[in-house]
């Protein structure tokens, strides 16, 4: 009997459920839009109940489209936006439905406090510095600010692990998310008593750690009744959305990097062990090995902000002409020379994680009377690339030579941004023919778990197909090298004023 695999990806703006056959051919897709709530400045939340509702609806939809039943589905895999802390009781109750997302910065003050206590010994256990995004910081925030929620919760689960829990009744976490708790010893792969003491949370409230492609369990009778899946359908641990996407976007061999520019943005390398540098982050891959990375919480969303706030006229012109908004803005920016005539954009509309602080803010610097709207558009695209270039330089400073950068996500669709990045990174940029994201990655892992494929790396080689290569233009190296140095100087100099600005905003808003 033909077997099928279901993969799910919980994103910030939508949920996607894909149905694949046993040859990993895409059979059906269901997409549900969802939104982020911002109840206070620098807070970002979603409702856990909404993820489950969209799963139920979408699974039924793809099975109906393919005219199959739950008995035909061999395995299910989920990936999701990372680090959220879903408080649950083991009877299945969600203690609090509004969940802090990865980009929620309310725990910034806690991360600052813990940073003051960090020693080299603790850093060598965690391979990371404390930041407000980490799952464990979110748990600590709940303990301090909503103690009743903390006490009632038996476990704190990440979003994809919450879905797995709802499906199987078992509380697990994979290594890609486990290293993002800020409570795991990277050398042993187990929870660290020293880090848990530093966080001042209870170890028993953390789930069991296992590999991304291992089986959590089978779908429970209750979940089968709700979703239409079978009690014979197995559920894998899955991985964070970023890592599931990286796996099928070129980051399965050493010497490569992947730039994911979507709502947020991440640039990642692939190494045997963490890159022990406090300016970047290190999380375990869904494969064996480590992914050092830097991020921008407001990458693509900065472009959207520009479109909707400063470029309303141009946006409306594009729509009247039937042209994609962003493509039209890029046409305007193409008329501006490399370097935007000295205009800089610092892309920190949602603060920073490690290279700066949660108090960082977005800003344009270098404005003068000769600047046109095209300068502002191009400077934004260059600003995101400069920020990522700083991270690439750190990888290579630690002996990790990067030969090429794969570019995926919404930012990879247009020629201009790809060429800007190739020129600033001084590396060829590879875009992919298809970009199904993390949902394909977890589907491959689920297929591996039930024996439909026997080699995760070899299968990734098959699915990573290049669409276009952007070779760097050496004529632009000089201006971009100098501007990158000035960009870094601006960033570092503004850290103290950023903190002052943030306190003023909090006081008078």
């Amino acid at each position: 009997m033909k077997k099928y695999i279901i993969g799910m990806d919980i994103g910030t703006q939508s949920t996607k459920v894909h149905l694949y056959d046993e040859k990993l051919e895409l059979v059906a897709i269901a997409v549900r839009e969802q939104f982020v709530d911002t109840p206070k400045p620098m807070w970002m939340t979603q409702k856990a109940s909404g993820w489950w509702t969209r799963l139920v609806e979408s699974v039924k939809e793809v099975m109906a489209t393919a005219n199959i039943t739950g008995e035909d589905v061999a395995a299910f895999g989920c990936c999701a936006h990372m680090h959220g802390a879903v408080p649950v009781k083991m009877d299945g109750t969600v203690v609090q439905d509004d969940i802090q997302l990865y980009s929620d910065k309310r725990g910034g003050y806690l991360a600052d406090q813990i940073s003051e206590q960090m020693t080299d010994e603790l850093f060598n256990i965690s391979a990371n510095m404390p930041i407000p995004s980490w799952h464990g910081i979110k748990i600590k925030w709940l303990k301090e600010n909503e103690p009743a929620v903390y006490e009632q919760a038996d476990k704190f689960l990440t979003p994809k692990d919450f879905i797995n829990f709802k499906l199987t009744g078992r509380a697990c976490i994979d290594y890609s998310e486990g290293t993002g708790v800020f409570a795991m010893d990277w050398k042993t792969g187990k929870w660290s008593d020293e880090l848990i003491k530093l966080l001042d949370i209870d170890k028993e409230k953390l789930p069991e750690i296992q590999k991304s492609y291992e089986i959590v369990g089978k779908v429970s009778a209750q979940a089968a009744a709700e979703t239409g899946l079978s009690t014979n359908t197995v559920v894998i641990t899955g991985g964070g959305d970023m890592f599931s996407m990286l796996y099928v976007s070129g980051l399965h061999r050493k010497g490569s990097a992947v730039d994911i520019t979507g709502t947020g943005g991440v640039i990642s390398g692939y190494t045997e062990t963490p890159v022990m540098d406090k300016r970047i982050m290190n999380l375990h891959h869904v494969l064996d090995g480590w992914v050092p990375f830097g991020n921008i919480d407001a990458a693509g969303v900065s472009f959207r902000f520009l479109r909707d706030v400063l470029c309303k006229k141009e946006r409306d012109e594009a729509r009247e002409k039937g042209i994609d908004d962003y493509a039209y803005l890029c046409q305007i920016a193409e008329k501006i020379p490399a370097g935007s005539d000295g205009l800089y954009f610092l892309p920190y509309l949602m603060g920073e994680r490690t290279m700066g602080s949660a108090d960082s803010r977005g800003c344009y610097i270098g404005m003068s009377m000769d600047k046109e709207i095209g300068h502002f558009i191009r400077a934004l695209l260059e600003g995101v690339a400069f920020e990522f270039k700083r991270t690439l330089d750190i990888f290579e400073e630690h002996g990790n030579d990067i030969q090429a950068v794969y570019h995926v996500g919404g930012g990879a669709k247009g020629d201009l941004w790809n060429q800007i990045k190739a020129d600033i990174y001084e590396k060829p940029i590879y875009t992919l023919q298809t970009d199904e994201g993390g949902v394909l990655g977890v589907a491959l892992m689920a297929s591996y778990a039930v024996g439909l494929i026997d080699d995760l790396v070899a299968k990734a080689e098959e699915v990573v197909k290049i669409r276009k290569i952007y070779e760097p233009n050496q004529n632009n190296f000089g201006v971009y090298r100098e501007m990158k140095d000035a960009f870094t100087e601006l960033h570092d100099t503004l850290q103290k004023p950023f903190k002052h600005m943030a306190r003023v905003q909090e006081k008078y808003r």
Side-chain angles (χ1 to χ4, degrees), residues 329-354:
L329 295 181
C330 285
Q331 288 176 15
I332 298 171
E334 282 177 337
K335 301 173 184 177
I336 305 301
S340 302
D341 292 323
L343 183 64
Y344 293 81
F345 175 73
L346 276 62
Y348 312 129
L349 273 70
M350 289 299 301
E352 296 183 83
R353 299 198 199 184
T354 58

PDB file of all heavy atoms in Angstrom, residues 329-354:
ATOM      1  N   LEU A 329       9.883  48.589  -6.083  1.00  0.00           N
ATOM      2  CA  LEU A 329      10.809  49.360  -5.244  1.00  0.00           C
ATOM      3  C   LEU A 329      12.257  49.072  -5.631  1.00  0.00           C
ATOM      4  O   LEU A 329      13.109  49.972  -5.641  1.00  0.00           O
ATOM      5  CB  LEU A 329      10.569  49.044  -3.773  1.00  0.00           C
ATOM      6  CG  LEU A 329       9.211  49.457  -3.188  1.00  0.00           C
ATOM      7  CD1 LEU A 329       9.128  49.095  -1.723  1.00  0.00           C
ATOM      8  CD2 LEU A 329       8.952  50.942  -3.390  1.00  0.00           C
ATOM      9  N   CYS A 330      12.544  47.820  -5.959  1.00  0.00           N
ATOM     10  CA  CYS A 330      13.912  47.470  -6.361  1.00  0.00           C
ATOM     11  C   CYS A 330      14.279  48.117  -7.694  1.00  0.00           C
ATOM     12  O   CYS A 330      15.449  48.488  -7.913  1.00  0.00           O
ATOM     13  CB  CYS A 330      14.070  45.958  -6.434  1.00  0.00           C
ATOM     14  SG  CYS A 330      14.168  45.160  -4.809  1.00  0.00           S
ATOM     15  N   GLN A 331      13.316  48.246  -8.594  1.00  0.00           N
ATOM     16  CA  GLN A 331      13.584  48.944  -9.858  1.00  0.00           C
ATOM     17  C   GLN A 331      14.025  50.383  -9.586  1.00  0.00           C
ATOM     18  O   GLN A 331      14.923  50.903 -10.255  1.00  0.00           O
ATOM     19  CB  GLN A 331      12.331  48.945 -10.735  1.00  0.00           C
ATOM     20  CG  GLN A 331      11.985  47.601 -11.345  1.00  0.00           C
ATOM     21  CD  GLN A 331      10.674  47.647 -12.126  1.00  0.00           C
ATOM     22  OE1 GLN A 331      10.164  48.718 -12.455  1.00  0.00           O
ATOM     23  NE2 GLN A 331      10.121  46.479 -12.415  1.00  0.00           N
ATOM     24  N   ILE A 332      13.390  51.014  -8.607  1.00  0.00           N
ATOM     25  CA  ILE A 332      13.776  52.383  -8.239  1.00  0.00           C
ATOM     26  C   ILE A 332      15.173  52.396  -7.634  1.00  0.00           C
ATOM     27  O   ILE A 332      16.006  53.258  -7.954  1.00  0.00           O
ATOM     28  CB  ILE A 332      12.746  52.965  -7.250  1.00  0.00           C
ATOM     29  CG1 ILE A 332      11.359  53.054  -7.906  1.00  0.00           C
ATOM     30  CG2 ILE A 332      13.189  54.332  -6.737  1.00  0.00           C
ATOM     31  CD1 ILE A 332      10.233  53.403  -6.943  1.00  0.00           C
ATOM     32  N   ALA A 333      15.461  51.412  -6.770  1.00  0.00           N
ATOM     33  CA  ALA A 333      16.756  51.360  -6.088  1.00  0.00           C
ATOM     34  C   ALA A 333      17.900  51.045  -7.038  1.00  0.00           C
ATOM     35  O   ALA A 333      19.055  51.437  -6.788  1.00  0.00           O
ATOM     36  CB  ALA A 333      16.707  50.328  -4.970  1.00  0.00           C
ATOM     37  N   GLU A 334      17.608  50.334  -8.135  1.00  0.00           N
ATOM     38  CA  GLU A 334      18.657  49.982  -9.094  1.00  0.00           C
ATOM     39  C   GLU A 334      19.297  51.204  -9.730  1.00  0.00           C
ATOM     40  O   GLU A 334      20.436  51.140 -10.229  1.00  0.00           O
ATOM     41  CB  GLU A 334      18.075  49.082 -10.188  1.00  0.00           C
ATOM     42  CG  GLU A 334      17.894  47.639  -9.750  1.00  0.00           C
ATOM     43  CD  GLU A 334      17.253  46.783 -10.826  1.00  0.00           C
ATOM     44  OE1 GLU A 334      16.566  47.341 -11.710  1.00  0.00           O
ATOM     45  OE2 GLU A 334      17.436  45.551 -10.778  1.00  0.00           O
ATOM     46  N   LYS A 335      18.617  52.334  -9.720  1.00  0.00           N
ATOM     47  CA  LYS A 335      19.146  53.565 -10.313  1.00  0.00           C
ATOM     48  C   LYS A 335      20.182  54.243  -9.413  1.00  0.00           C
ATOM     49  O   LYS A 335      20.852  55.176  -9.840  1.00  0.00           O
ATOM     50  CB  LYS A 335      17.994  54.527 -10.593  1.00  0.00           C
ATOM     51  CG  LYS A 335      16.938  53.955 -11.543  1.00  0.00           C
ATOM     52  CD  LYS A 335      15.738  54.891 -11.643  1.00  0.00           C
ATOM     53  CE  LYS A 335      14.637  54.286 -12.509  1.00  0.00           C
ATOM     54  NZ  LYS A 335      13.424  55.141 -12.556  1.00  0.00           N
ATOM     55  N   ILE A 336      20.271  53.759  -8.166  1.00  0.00           N
ATOM     56  CA  ILE A 336      21.185  54.345  -7.187  1.00  0.00           C
ATOM     57  C   ILE A 336      22.500  53.564  -7.190  1.00  0.00           C
ATOM     58  O   ILE A 336      22.498  52.332  -7.233  1.00  0.00           O
ATOM     59  CB  ILE A 336      20.556  54.325  -5.782  1.00  0.00           C
ATOM     60  CG1 ILE A 336      19.184  55.014  -5.795  1.00  0.00           C
ATOM     61  CG2 ILE A 336      21.486  54.953  -4.760  1.00  0.00           C
ATOM     62  CD1 ILE A 336      19.200  56.462  -6.241  1.00  0.00           C
ATOM     63  N   PRO A 337      23.653  54.223  -7.128  1.00  0.00           N
ATOM     64  CA  PRO A 337      24.933  53.495  -7.153  1.00  0.00           C
ATOM     65  C   PRO A 337      25.179  52.686  -5.885  1.00  0.00           C
ATOM     66  O   PRO A 337      24.584  52.939  -4.834  1.00  0.00           O
ATOM     67  CB  PRO A 337      25.966  54.613  -7.297  1.00  0.00           C
ATOM     68  CG  PRO A 337      25.302  55.824  -6.723  1.00  0.00           C
ATOM     69  CD  PRO A 337      23.842  55.686  -7.071  1.00  0.00           C
ATOM     70  N   ALA A 338      26.059  51.692  -5.999  1.00  0.00           N
ATOM     71  CA  ALA A 338      26.466  50.899  -4.838  1.00  0.00           C
ATOM     72  C   ALA A 338      26.953  51.816  -3.731  1.00  0.00           C
ATOM     73  O   ALA A 338      27.741  52.736  -3.967  1.00  0.00           O
ATOM     74  CB  ALA A 338      27.570  49.918  -5.229  1.00  0.00           C
ATOM     75  N   GLY A 339      26.456  51.597  -2.522  1.00  0.00           N
ATOM     76  CA  GLY A 339      26.818  52.431  -1.393  1.00  0.00           C
ATOM     77  C   GLY A 339      25.814  53.516  -1.082  1.00  0.00           C
ATOM     78  O   GLY A 339      25.944  54.220  -0.076  1.00  0.00           O
ATOM     79  N   SER A 340      24.792  53.650  -1.947  1.00  0.00           N
ATOM     80  CA  SER A 340      23.688  54.602  -1.703  1.00  0.00           C
ATOM     81  C   SER A 340      24.186  56.015  -1.403  1.00  0.00           C
ATOM     82  O   SER A 340      23.573  56.731  -0.612  1.00  0.00           O
ATOM     83  CB  SER A 340      22.799  54.098  -0.556  1.00  0.00           C
ATOM     84  OG  SER A 340      22.286  52.814  -0.844  1.00  0.00           O
ATOM     85  N   ASP A 341      25.290  56.366  -2.017  1.00  0.00           N
ATOM     86  CA  ASP A 341      25.853  57.712  -1.815  1.00  0.00           C
ATOM     87  C   ASP A 341      26.020  58.059  -0.332  1.00  0.00           C
ATOM     88  O   ASP A 341      25.779  59.195   0.093  1.00  0.00           O
ATOM     89  CB  ASP A 341      24.986  58.773  -2.510  1.00  0.00           C
ATOM     90  CG  ASP A 341      25.040  58.675  -4.028  1.00  0.00           C
ATOM     91  OD1 ASP A 341      26.133  58.380  -4.559  1.00  0.00           O
ATOM     92  OD2 ASP A 341      24.001  58.875  -4.680  1.00  0.00           O
ATOM     93  N   GLY A 342      26.454  57.050   0.439  1.00  0.00           N
ATOM     94  CA  GLY A 342      26.792  57.303   1.838  1.00  0.00           C
ATOM     95  C   GLY A 342      25.636  57.244   2.815  1.00  0.00           C
ATOM     96  O   GLY A 342      25.811  57.624   3.978  1.00  0.00           O
ATOM     97  N   LEU A 343      24.468  56.749   2.400  1.00  0.00           N
ATOM     98  CA  LEU A 343      23.337  56.592   3.322  1.00  0.00           C
ATOM     99  C   LEU A 343      23.391  55.191   3.931  1.00  0.00           C
ATOM    100  O   LEU A 343      23.533  54.201   3.216  1.00  0.00           O
ATOM    101  CB  LEU A 343      22.015  56.796   2.596  1.00  0.00           C
ATOM    102  CG  LEU A 343      20.752  56.737   3.465  1.00  0.00           C
ATOM    103  CD1 LEU A 343      20.729  57.863   4.489  1.00  0.00           C
ATOM    104  CD2 LEU A 343      19.498  56.787   2.591  1.00  0.00           C
ATOM    105  N   TYR A 344      23.267  55.125   5.250  1.00  0.00           N
ATOM    106  CA  TYR A 344      23.326  53.843   5.965  1.00  0.00           C
ATOM    107  C   TYR A 344      21.967  53.543   6.591  1.00  0.00           C
ATOM    108  O   TYR A 344      21.285  54.446   7.079  1.00  0.00           O
ATOM    109  CB  TYR A 344      24.356  53.892   7.091  1.00  0.00           C
ATOM    110  CG  TYR A 344      25.786  54.025   6.639  1.00  0.00           C
ATOM    111  CD1 TYR A 344      26.307  55.264   6.276  1.00  0.00           C
ATOM    112  CD2 TYR A 344      26.623  52.916   6.571  1.00  0.00           C
ATOM    113  CE1 TYR A 344      27.625  55.400   5.861  1.00  0.00           C
ATOM    114  CE2 TYR A 344      27.939  53.036   6.159  1.00  0.00           C
ATOM    115  CZ  TYR A 344      28.434  54.279   5.809  1.00  0.00           C
ATOM    116  OH  TYR A 344      29.735  54.400   5.394  1.00  0.00           O
ATOM    117  N   PHE A 345      21.628  52.260   6.616  1.00  0.00           N
ATOM    118  CA  PHE A 345      20.450  51.804   7.352  1.00  0.00           C
ATOM    119  C   PHE A 345      20.890  50.757   8.357  1.00  0.00           C
ATOM    120  O   PHE A 345      21.540  49.762   8.001  1.00  0.00           O
ATOM    121  CB  PHE A 345      19.402  51.212   6.406  1.00  0.00           C
ATOM    122  CG  PHE A 345      18.228  50.615   7.124  1.00  0.00           C
ATOM    123  CD1 PHE A 345      17.278  51.431   7.732  1.00  0.00           C
ATOM    124  CD2 PHE A 345      18.069  49.237   7.219  1.00  0.00           C
ATOM    125  CE1 PHE A 345      16.187  50.880   8.408  1.00  0.00           C
ATOM    126  CE2 PHE A 345      16.987  48.673   7.891  1.00  0.00           C
ATOM    127  CZ  PHE A 345      16.044  49.505   8.483  1.00  0.00           C
ATOM    128  N   LEU A 346      20.535  50.949   9.623  1.00  0.00           N
ATOM    129  CA  LEU A 346      20.803  49.964  10.671  1.00  0.00           C
ATOM    130  C   LEU A 346      19.506  49.208  10.944  1.00  0.00           C
ATOM    131  O   LEU A 346      18.527  49.790  11.412  1.00  0.00           O
ATOM    132  CB  LEU A 346      21.314  50.651  11.943  1.00  0.00           C
ATOM    133  CG  LEU A 346      22.827  50.945  11.985  1.00  0.00           C
ATOM    134  CD1 LEU A 346      23.225  51.898  10.867  1.00  0.00           C
ATOM    135  CD2 LEU A 346      23.243  51.505  13.334  1.00  0.00           C
ATOM    136  N   PRO A 347      19.463  47.896  10.645  1.00  0.00           N
ATOM    137  CA  PRO A 347      18.201  47.153  10.596  1.00  0.00           C
ATOM    138  C   PRO A 347      17.756  46.569  11.940  1.00  0.00           C
ATOM    139  O   PRO A 347      17.523  45.358  12.063  1.00  0.00           O
ATOM    140  CB  PRO A 347      18.504  46.037   9.595  1.00  0.00           C
ATOM    141  CG  PRO A 347      19.955  45.744   9.832  1.00  0.00           C
ATOM    142  CD  PRO A 347      20.594  47.077  10.161  1.00  0.00           C
ATOM    143  N   TYR A 348      17.594  47.429  12.941  1.00  0.00           N
ATOM    144  CA  TYR A 348      17.308  46.920  14.283  1.00  0.00           C
ATOM    145  C   TYR A 348      15.928  47.346  14.771  1.00  0.00           C
ATOM    146  O   TYR A 348      15.763  47.761  15.913  1.00  0.00           O
ATOM    147  CB  TYR A 348      18.396  47.377  15.254  1.00  0.00           C
ATOM    148  CG  TYR A 348      19.800  47.138  14.738  1.00  0.00           C
ATOM    149  CD1 TYR A 348      20.739  48.166  14.725  1.00  0.00           C
ATOM    150  CD2 TYR A 348      20.173  45.893  14.240  1.00  0.00           C
ATOM    151  CE1 TYR A 348      22.022  47.954  14.237  1.00  0.00           C
ATOM    152  CE2 TYR A 348      21.453  45.680  13.745  1.00  0.00           C
ATOM    153  CZ  TYR A 348      22.377  46.702  13.747  1.00  0.00           C
ATOM    154  OH  TYR A 348      23.633  46.486  13.252  1.00  0.00           O
ATOM    155  N   LEU A 349      14.921  47.238  13.896  1.00  0.00           N
ATOM    156  CA  LEU A 349      13.568  47.635  14.275  1.00  0.00           C
ATOM    157  C   LEU A 349      13.006  46.772  15.404  1.00  0.00           C
ATOM    158  O   LEU A 349      12.085  47.187  16.106  1.00  0.00           O
ATOM    159  CB  LEU A 349      12.625  47.575  13.072  1.00  0.00           C
ATOM    160  CG  LEU A 349      12.570  48.844  12.218  1.00  0.00           C
ATOM    161  CD1 LEU A 349      13.878  49.039  11.450  1.00  0.00           C
ATOM    162  CD2 LEU A 349      11.408  48.789  11.234  1.00  0.00           C
ATOM    163  N   MET A 350      13.544  45.559  15.564  1.00  0.00           N
ATOM    164  CA  MET A 350      13.132  44.681  16.664  1.00  0.00           C
ATOM    165  C   MET A 350      14.283  44.410  17.619  1.00  0.00           C
ATOM    166  O   MET A 350      14.322  43.373  18.281  1.00  0.00           O
ATOM    167  CB  MET A 350      12.582  43.362  16.113  1.00  0.00           C
ATOM    168  CG  MET A 350      11.229  43.479  15.435  1.00  0.00           C
ATOM    169  SD  MET A 350       9.926  44.065  16.552  1.00  0.00           S
ATOM    170  CE  MET A 350       9.951  42.798  17.813  1.00  0.00           C
ATOM    171  N   GLY A 351      15.224  45.340  17.715  1.00  0.00           N
ATOM    172  CA  GLY A 351      16.361  45.149  18.607  1.00  0.00           C
ATOM    173  C   GLY A 351      17.347  44.138  18.046  1.00  0.00           C
ATOM    174  O   GLY A 351      17.287  43.755  16.886  1.00  0.00           O
ATOM    175  N   GLU A 352      18.280  43.714  18.899  1.00  0.00           N
ATOM    176  CA  GLU A 352      19.295  42.727  18.509  1.00  0.00           C
ATOM    177  C   GLU A 352      19.373  41.618  19.555  1.00  0.00           C
ATOM    178  O   GLU A 352      18.874  41.757  20.667  1.00  0.00           O
ATOM    179  CB  GLU A 352      20.671  43.386  18.403  1.00  0.00           C
ATOM    180  CG  GLU A 352      20.802  44.440  17.336  1.00  0.00           C
ATOM    181  CD  GLU A 352      22.225  44.977  17.283  1.00  0.00           C
ATOM    182  OE1 GLU A 352      23.080  44.346  16.634  1.00  0.00           O
ATOM    183  OE2 GLU A 352      22.482  46.028  17.903  1.00  0.00           O
ATOM    184  N   ARG A 353      20.039  40.538  19.173  1.00  0.00           N
ATOM    185  CA  ARG A 353      20.235  39.422  20.106  1.00  0.00           C
ATOM    186  C   ARG A 353      21.639  39.430  20.708  1.00  0.00           C
ATOM    187  O   ARG A 353      21.805  39.564  21.907  1.00  0.00           O
ATOM    188  CB  ARG A 353      19.967  38.092  19.402  1.00  0.00           C
ATOM    189  CG  ARG A 353      18.544  37.963  18.882  1.00  0.00           C
ATOM    190  CD  ARG A 353      18.188  36.530  18.585  1.00  0.00           C
ATOM    191  NE  ARG A 353      17.027  36.445  17.701  1.00  0.00           N
ATOM    192  CZ  ARG A 353      16.447  35.302  17.344  1.00  0.00           C
ATOM    193  NH1 ARG A 353      16.912  34.159  17.791  1.00  0.00           N
ATOM    194  NH2 ARG A 353      15.422  35.303  16.533  1.00  0.00           N
ATOM    195  N   THR A 354      22.674  39.276  19.889  1.00  0.00           N
ATOM    196  CA  THR A 354      24.018  39.117  20.451  1.00  0.00           C
ATOM    197  C   THR A 354      25.013  40.190  20.044  1.00  0.00           C
ATOM    198  O   THR A 354      25.866  40.563  20.833  1.00  0.00           O
ATOM    199  CB  THR A 354      24.613  37.743  20.054  1.00  0.00           C
ATOM    200  OG1 THR A 354      24.632  37.653  18.625  1.00  0.00           O
ATOM    201  CG2 THR A 354      23.803  36.610  20.627  1.00  0.00           C
TER     202      THR A 354
END
